[in-house]
Each structure stands twice: as C-alpha cells, then as structure tokens.
Amino acid sequence: MSSATKDKAAERRLVARTNADVHQRIADAADLLGATVSQFLIDSALERANRVTQEATRLRVSRDAFVQMMAVLDQPANPAPRLQQAAHRYREVMSDEHPPQDPERNTDPKP
C-alpha cells in the first residue's frame, strides 16, 4: 500500500447538512480568511472542541478555597498507622540483614 493510500485510509470524513443561509454565511467567512469551507469548518470545530475540553477538565474554585487547599497541602502528612508499622518492620529486617559496620574495622579489600 502506498504512502498516499495509507494517508487517505487514515483520514475520516465529516459531513454536515445545513440550510442555504447558514452555508452561505460559513462560505463567506471562509472566503474572508482565504480558506476553503472544509478548512474553515475543521479549524472552527477544533478550536471549539479544545475550548470545551479545557473547560470540562479544569477545576475551578474560589480564591478562599484555593488558599485553604494550598495551606493543607503545605502541612506535613500524618502517616497512617499501618504505614508506620511497615516502616518499622522494614528497618528491623534491614538492620538484621545489614548490621552496622565499625568504620575502623573495614575488611573490604582496597582496589
């Protein structure tokens, strides 16, 4: 399959039906921009899609709520009891497997 055929296969068609007045208004606007009706429709739809997606996925809060949220995030976390127990067990296991060494009794061979 040639590269041009692959490109065509990847493209999807959008179809819109409208009355003559709406079509003429869109065609006039496209002409003012030096674009085809298709280019104008795709650019306009993509711009709107980006705006809708951005508005739908952005969290908006009042200034007071934002300040309160940042203050809470700046406070140190209180570890859960199970997390503290797990950390304690980890330290015990690691200290049993790797006892502290006396730096003066280093038995590692020198390179």
Side-chain angles (χ1 to χ4, degrees), residues 1 8-10 50 64 66 72 76 81 87-89 92 100 102 108:
M1 188 181 278
K8 287 289 184 188
N50 289 337
D64 291 340
F66 177 77
V72 168
H88 181 69
R89 282 193 308 272
E92 286 178 347
D102 183 1
D108 292 336

Side-chain angles (χ1 to χ4, degrees), residues 35-77:
T36 65
V37 170
S38 290
Q39 289 170 328
F40 182 83
L41 288 174
I42 296 298
D43 290 346
S44 299
L46 188 56
E47 182 181 321
R48 178 71 189 263
N50 289 337
R51 200 169 44 245
V52 167
T53 302
Q54 194 173 51
E55 289 174 7
T57 58
R58 183 175 290 163
L59 178 63
R60 293 180 187 208
V61 296
S62 68
R63 180 175 275 309
D64 291 340
F66 177 77
V67 169
Q68 184 178 5
M69 180 178 63
M70 295 311 292
V72 168
L73 289 173
D74 285 340
Q75 295 174 1

